[in-house]
Amino acid sequence: MTARILDGNALAAQVREDIAQQAAALIAQGVQPCLAVILVGDNPASAVYVRNKVAACEKAGFRSLKFDYPADVSPEVVLAKIDELNRDPLVHGILVQLPLPKQFNEEEVLEAISPAKDVDGFHAENFGLLLQGRKSFYPCTPWGVMKMLEVGGVSLKGAEAVVIGRSNIVGKPMAVMLLSQGATVTVCHSQTRDLAFHTKRADIVVAAVGKPKFVTGDMIKPGATVIDVGINRLPDGKLCGDVDFESAKEVAGLITPVPGGVGPMTITMLLSNTLESARRAAAHFQSTP
Ligand code: NAD
């Protein structure tokens, strides 16, 4: 059996088209969605991510602002910029590209962003709302995965889901989102004793580990849905996921590729959150006498 491939590029293009139309309608009302991106240092991967985010904004008709700082910038300078952007009514989303250099306390920086402009969904307030099943800005990567599962027609109610990885930005929110849709969720991590025991009985496996080709076909239940969040650079410069695509696609029923899977959906959900923030700002503006 060869798995059906869930094409993240195609889905992202479709959703972004819809976002661009909604942005145009908002612009006609006098509100242009605006995302401000802060990049510190010269990490090449971060620079590529930021470039892609800015380009996606512009393609959707959003305004984007980019602030570059050298690696040795003092945290106070960046915190002052965040404060300024928090107070700017024309800015709807603020994103600080991670990782930050070691003089920064990432938690402090993320918490400095107003929850109302936290379009990455990393602020503790938004994470708390997500945990309680209330409306918030959802973290973009796991939310993109949820969209992919929906479009792929994957039934979540009662499904056994295994999330590999427990980071605050992917694994934990992913587990909460799957749980909220009725899946029975197991979170595996670096101290899990027998990973394959868990993955082999899962209807859905989400891999967010950061280790190339870590999940192999023999760890997957025949017909399962396999979502690969990983982005790893191989010595030959090519990108690969956390799943060994070649062996896994022979066993899975549905699988996402890398590249062209979850990655494009992450940026799409960032646009979606920024649009939503702009819409809230427009509604607030209209209701203010
Ligand atoms: P992280 O390093 O913060 O977390 C990795 C997790 O993997 C940890 O929770 C750890 O416990 C777990 N882990 C490590 N070794 C393990 C093992 N042997 N068995 C089971 N679990 C193990 O990483 P992250 O930020 O969550 O990112 C994970 C991957 O997803 C990375 O490859 C990253 O580049 C990628 N990523 C992709 C996107 C996207 O848009 N597609 C977004 C964010 C992250």
Side-chain angles (χ1 to χ4, degrees):
M1 183 172 65
T2 302
R4 190 156 60 91
I5 292 172
L6 204 41
D7 182 344
N9 281 328
L11 176 59
Q14 201 182 319
V15 180
R16 286 187 205 187
E17 178 65 40
D18 186 44
I19 289 173
Q21 281 176 18
Q22 293 181 55
L26 210 52
I27 291 166
Q29 294 171 42
V31 178
Q32 183 179 22
C34 173
L35 175 70
V37 182
I38 294 175
L39 175 64
V40 183
D42 46 16
N43 178 330
S46 293
V48 172
Y49 291 142
V50 166
R51 210 180 310 135
N52 290 343
K53 287 167 187 175
V54 167
C57 275
E58 281 162 12
K59 202 161 173 220
F62 292 15
R63 193 162 74 100
S64 66
L65 305 171
K66 183 168 171 279
F67 301 95
D68 285 297
Y69 295 99
D72 60 356
V73 69
S74 124
E76 284 66 39
V77 172
V78 174
L79 290 168
K81 176 53 75 179
I82 292 173
D83 184 48
E84 181 192 319
L85 294 168
N86 279 341
R87 285 183 283 106
D88 185 339
L90 298 179
V91 171
H92 306 108
I94 303 169
L95 179 156
V96 178
Q97 186 64 43
L98 302 178
L100 290 168
K102 54 182 179 313
Q103 72 271 26
F104 282 86
N105 173 346
E106 284 188 355
E107 216 168 81
E108 181 191 17
V109 172
L110 297 179
E111 298 296 299
I113 297 171
S114 161
K117 298 188 181 189
D118 169 40
V119 288
D120 250 343
F122 293 165
H123 194 286
E125 183 174 315
N126 283 319
F127 194 50
L129 290 168
L130 168 66
L131 269 176
Q132 292 186 342
R134 294 161 65 188
K135 206 168 164 46
S136 76
F137 287 125
Y138 300 140
C140 302
T141 300
W143 194 27
V145 170
M146 294 305 282
K147 289 275 170 203
M148 295 184 93
L149 292 171
E150 186 188 321
V151 168
V154 179
S155 167
L156 298 178
K157 282 193 177 55
E160 290 288 338
V162 166
V163 178
I164 317 174
R166 56 174 165 178
S167 70
N168 286 339
I169 63 171
V170 188
K172 279 185 205 158
M174 185 77 254
V176 173
M177 287 181 197
L178 288 165
L179 184 65
S180 74
Q181 294 303 308
T184 301
V185 184
T186 304
V187 182
C188 296
H189 48 80
S190 53
Q191 274 131 59
T192 296
R193 274 205 293 267
D194 185 352
L195 180 64
F197 164 79
H198 296 284
T199 56
K200 270 186 198 163
R201 56 173 192 79
D203 303 309
I204 301 159
V205 175
V206 181
V209 191
K211 294 193 169 158
K213 305 186 185 186
F214 180 70
V215 178
T216 47
D218 58 348
M219 296 166 70
I220 294 163
K221 180 167 105 171
T225 296
V226 178
I227 305 286
D228 191 352
V229 175
I231 302 178
N232 307 290
R233 178 110 18 217
L234 295 172
D236 65 5
K238 287 193 182 136
L239 287 183
C240 88
D242 289 345
V243 174
D244 177 31
F245 187 77
E246 288 310 314
S247 64
K249 80 174 192 320
E250 298 305 322
V251 187
L254 189 64
I255 191 165
T256 62
V258 177
V262 175
M265 283 308 288
T266 295
I267 298 187
T268 304
M269 302 331 282
L270 175 69
L271 296 177
S272 178
N273 276 344
T274 306
L275 177 72
E276 172 61 19
S277 178
R279 211 183 267 132
R280 288 181 198 171
H284 177 75
F285 178 69
Q286 278 161 8
S287 67
T288 307

